[in-house]
């Protein structure tokens, strides 16, 4: 008996031009285009195994070892249904010899290699891995942009995780959503020296979910429409050009300005939405001072912060600056000894010791306690979804999760 | 020998529609109109005595017992020069019998009854008191709007402290600034039940000065122009109408939205400007929940927060809600025993004990330590500048500060 099964992994992406607002909440069509950097799956990834079998009585999904309900009409159900439809239309209808596995129920098992407690949104990598594993299972003859149309309906920003490198989500204009998809601006190989330092920030406060928050902004902010119509289109052009020209100074300027503006329209919402806290603000002050030093030396920006719908900072920087940045962050936000995973061998002996660059004005922020920044993750721009071998499958011979722990 | 001397006090004002941005930095002409509530001088005031005497060798000014330099071409010098000019043109030129005291040097002594450490901007009340005392000294036959033209050149928002009650600063359009002045929207007596609770918030961080911050916003924010052209004009009309109709719900909605939007455009600045901190955010969360309860009970908003260029909250509310609000704030931000000055006799025995209204979701913020909110000041809408008697003069018989302590 043939086993129809495939495993894929997919990356996290962090936007430089932020997605905030839907014009269609069901189809997840955004009010503006957005652009992100795909992060390296070697460090952060979702892995998903999908299997189709005539013996399965219904569709099942396990996430991090726990079964998740697939609600009728919900986002998961939509993605699975759309993938089955593609299998039928693109494969089975065109070639009657192909097995009709689109009629089988599926078992899907997914795992994130980073803890939810890390405060990193896993929905983007999760839906991208789900769609990718089903695409391999169904042997679909379609490219990542087509798959991105489906991943988008799971979680908007998931569509950008279908590509590696630098990725634009074009908002499109068709009410059906057929042109609201991800495209590659440049692959990882074009500018592999873009690294990222994720500062996982502790927070007391339960944040507003991005799904409900962004619609409140759409309904109540008087500034959002101006951003959508008059700011984002030019920024999309300018940052794409900066990426193609490997112009980090412009890339950084736009990335920081757009992060600020996203949080500005969140604040202009009724009631206001705050995602950044005092630790986030202090990280901004540190990066602003770090860049000031460099700009005054005629060298342009050396780092760019960006914040999603939470207090964590992601700092993009050319590889050669990361050691200095890690040490600078550690000077304000001391880390538990041995907690920093030195993935790129920056530190001699692996010991992270706080340090200020020459001329740095240390008074731009106070020194925080251990734990204010819980964790520092050093990663870089990465590739798109990967097909994995059966030895990495998350389902056992019976099509059930290998390890429920 | 005649002593030419006058003493005046002037109030603090806190804007509901915020002033942020100058179109002329020398004349202090704003990029948008603004509107404020004048606070009661019984609680917060600047007092100024001015004397003109032929024996004085130059103009002198003492602020809180310390001599301040009157820089040539500076804001203080401009205000003094303009007041002397008005004396000459409106009094001496028109009536040759009037003494030519505009030619004398002046001694000016000013005092704020609130500590600078309270974090309250004293420039508005200070320049309003300065201009008022000189107006009395010079016996000027002009009204508060004319004086506001001069106070404006000392500190923009000072022009609004020339009136009591609810005051608009009309931005005007004349390049000379002749129509950029304050007008009364409604006097204190129209709506005397509007009270204010000032929450003085402790901050680690030295904030950006409003003078430099607002010009950075003018130069770099892509959202500010939209605010100026498309948001503020309507809000000015709507909140004026709400004040005339004593419609607190609308007044509160606009006040909070405009505070949020001012901080949003500050955040949309390069580099971004943050005035609110985690304590400020928590106060917002508490007021949002307090209003939610009331709105769900069909009663509309009961309180409105607003934040100037710093972390302090000012909470406007109808008098009957203030006891509940003070107790609610004290539940999250415990006060040192006996530190709350119960100016309106809200509390039996004067003891402030934290308390939640029925149905209040306590989890909207965490409980902070004593000192996070350093001080609570209960005040209300007040009257405009007052002429004080000689017994309150700050200059002694020789025209020198009575008390240098």
């Amino acid at each position: 008996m043939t086993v129809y099964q495939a495993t894929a992994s997919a990356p996290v992406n962090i936007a430089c031009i932020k997605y905030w607002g839907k014009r269609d909440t069901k189809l997840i069509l955004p009010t503006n285009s957005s652009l992100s950097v795909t992060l390296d799956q070697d460090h952060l990834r979702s892995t998903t195994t999908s299997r189709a079998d005539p013996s399965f009585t219904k569709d099942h999904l396990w996430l991090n070892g726990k079964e998740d309900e697939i609600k009728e009409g919900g986002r998961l159900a939509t993605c699975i249904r759309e993938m089955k439809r593609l299998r039928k239309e693109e494969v089975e209808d065109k070639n009657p010899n192909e097995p009709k596995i689109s009629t089988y129920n599926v078992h899907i098992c997914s795992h994130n290699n980073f803890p939810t407690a890390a405060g990193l949104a896993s929905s983007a990598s999760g839906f991208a891995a789900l769609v990718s594993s089903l695409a391999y299972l169904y042997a679909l003859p379609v490219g990542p942009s087509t798959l991105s149309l489906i991943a988008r309906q799971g979680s908007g920003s998931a569509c950008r995780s279908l590509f590696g490198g630098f990725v634009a989500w074009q908002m499109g204009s068709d009410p059906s959503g057929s042109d609201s998809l991800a495209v590659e601006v440049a692959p990882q190989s074009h500018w592999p020296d873009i690294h990222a330092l994720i500062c996982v920030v502790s927070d007391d406060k339960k944040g507003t979910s991005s799904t409900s928050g962004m619609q409140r902004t759409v309904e109540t902010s008087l500034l959002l429409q101006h951003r959508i119509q008059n700011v984002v289109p030019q920024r999309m052009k300018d940052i794409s050009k900066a990426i193609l020209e490997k112009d980090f100074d412009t890339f950084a300027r736009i990335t920081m300005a757009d992060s600020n503006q996203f949080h500005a329209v969140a604040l202009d919402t009724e009631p206001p939405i705050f995602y950044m806290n005092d630790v986030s603000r202090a990280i901004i002050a540190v990066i602003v001072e770090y860049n000031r030093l460099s700009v005054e030396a005629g060298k342009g920006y050396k780092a760019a912060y960006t914040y999603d719908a939470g207090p964590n900072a992601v700092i993009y920087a050319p590889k050669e600056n990361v050691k200095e940045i890690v040490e600078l962050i550690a000077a304000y936000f001391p880390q538990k000894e041995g907690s920093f995973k030195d993935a790129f061998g920056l530190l001699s002996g692996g010991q992270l010791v706080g340090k200020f660059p020459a001329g740095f004005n240390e008074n731009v922020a106070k020194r925080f306690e251990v734990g204010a920044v819980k964790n520092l993750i050093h990663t870089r721009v990465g590739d798109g979804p990967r097909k994995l071998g059966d030895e990495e499958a998350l389902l056992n011979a019976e099509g059930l999760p290998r390890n429920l722990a």
Side-chain angles (χ1 to χ4, degrees), chain A:
Chain A
M1 206 183 85
T2 318
V3 173
Y4 297 103
Q5 179 173 302
T7 299
S9 68
V12 166
N13 73 77
I14 301 288
C16 296
I17 304 293
K18 301 296 189 189
Y19 155 49
W20 197 251
K22 297 183 182 73
R23 62 182 201 273
D24 183 316
T25 54
K26 178 65 189 153
L27 291 170
I28 310 190
L29 302 179
T31 51
N32 60 261
S33 296
S34 55
L35 187 145
S36 58
V37 177
T38 295
L39 300 184
D40 196 333
Q41 285 164 84
D42 288 351
H43 307 124
L44 301 168
R45 67 178 167 277
S46 295
T47 304
T48 302
T49 297
S50 298
R51 185 194 294 201
D53 196 281
S55 73
F56 293 162
T57 54
K58 58 178 279 218
D59 295 336
H60 280 281
L61 181 133
W62 294 268
L63 176 59
N64 292 326
K66 251 187 78 179
E67 180 149 15
D68 230 22
E69 193 196 353
I70 302 175
K71 279 195 203 109
E72 216 182 293
R75 294 175 170 194
L76 267 172
T78 300
C79 285
I80 295 168
R81 183 197 70 215
E82 287 297 294
M83 290 304 288
K84 288 179 177 173
R85 183 184 59 76
L86 270 191
R87 164 72 186 182
K88 180 169 184 301
E89 292 175 4
E90 299 296 327
V91 180
E92 298 166 9
D93 291 355
K94 289 180 179 169
N95 184 349
N97 295 328
E98 291 287 349
K100 305 275 183 293
I101 61 175
S102 71
T103 63
Y104 299 170
N105 286 310
V106 289
H107 280 191
I108 299 168
C109 188
S110 191
H111 175 79
N112 305 318
N113 79 334
F114 49 95
T116 308
L120 295 163
S122 55
S123 61
S125 55
F127 275 102
L130 170 81
V131 164
S132 297
S133 72
L134 287 168
Y136 291 126
L137 168 66
Y138 292 151
L140 297 183
V142 302
S145 284
T146 301
L147 296 178
S148 79
L149 290 165
I150 296 173
R152 189 201 74 221
Q153 297 175 65
S155 171
S157 58
C159 73
R160 297 188 310 242
S161 278
L162 266 303
F163 286 95
F166 304 84
V167 187
W169 174 8
Q170 296 174 340
M171 63 177 289
S173 57
D174 192 309
S176 76
S178 62
D179 56 354
S180 186
L181 45 72
V183 297
E184 183 187 89
V185 173
Q188 173 195 28
S189 58
H190 166 72
W191 204 7
D193 278 0
I194 290 298
H195 280 224
L197 184 70
I198 304 172
C199 306
V200 180
V201 171
S202 184
D203 204 13
D204 288 324
K205 171 176 160 286
K206 179 100 189 85
T208 308
S209 88
S210 58
T211 299
S212 69
M214 66 173 71
Q215 286 322 100
R216 233 162 70 203
T217 302
V218 169
E219 287 156 18
T220 64
S221 170
L222 298 178
L223 300 179
L224 181 69
Q225 292 306 318
H226 184 73
R227 162 173 169 73
I228 290 169
Q229 288 158 31
N230 302 103
V231 180
V232 172
Q234 189 62 45
R235 281 190 181 161
M236 285 294 292
K237 281 182 205 161
D238 293 345
I239 200 168
S240 298
K241 182 162 173 283
I243 290 165
L244 293 173
E245 294 173 354
K246 299 183 205 172
D247 169 1
F248 185 78
D249 185 64
T250 302
F251 172 84
R253 190 177 49 72
I254 298 173
T255 294
M256 292 188 282
D258 208 70
S259 174
N260 295 337
Q261 189 169 87
F262 151 48
H263 292 277
V265 297
L267 212 168
D268 188 50
T269 299
E270 188 181 327
I273 301 168
F274 296 90
Y275 288 118
M276 294 190 285
N277 63 21
D278 286 354
V279 174
S280 315
R281 290 165 65 201
I283 295 172
I284 289 181
V286 169
I287 297 300
V288 165
E289 169 65 8
Y290 180 65
N291 280 329
R292 185 196 62 79
L293 264 183
S294 173
V295 167
E296 286 187 2
K299 289 178 191 158
Y301 285 161
K302 286 171 79 174
Y305 59 78
T306 188
Y307 293 79
D308 278 354
N312 295 339
V314 175
I315 302 169
Y316 287 121
K319 184 181 174 181
E320 73 256 28
N321 302 336
V322 178
K323 179 173 190 288
E324 207 172 44
I325 295 166
V326 170
E327 289 172 342
L328 178 56
I329 294 293
Y332 287 100
F333 308 98
Q335 299 294 299
K336 272 196 208 117
E337 211 180 300
S339 68
F340 176 62
K341 204 179 149 202
D342 188 12
F344 293 85
L346 295 179
L347 312 168
S348 54
Q351 265 309 97
L352 176 54
V353 179
K355 201 172 153 189
F356 298 100
F360 192 93
N361 172 11
E362 301 178 21
N363 297 323
V364 295
K366 68 163 190 177
R367 189 182 150 93
F368 283 74
E369 300 293 315
V370 172
V373 170
K374 289 188 287 188
N375 198 8
L376 293 173
I377 301 168
H378 180 187
T379 183
R380 63 177 161 189
V381 58
D383 57 351
R386 299 174 184 168
K387 187 177 193 322
L388 302 180
D390 260 356
E391 67 284 1
E392 301 195 59
L394 301 176
L395 292 168
N396 64 19
E398 289 74 42
L400 292 170
R402 240 188 228 290
N403 191 344
L404 279 161

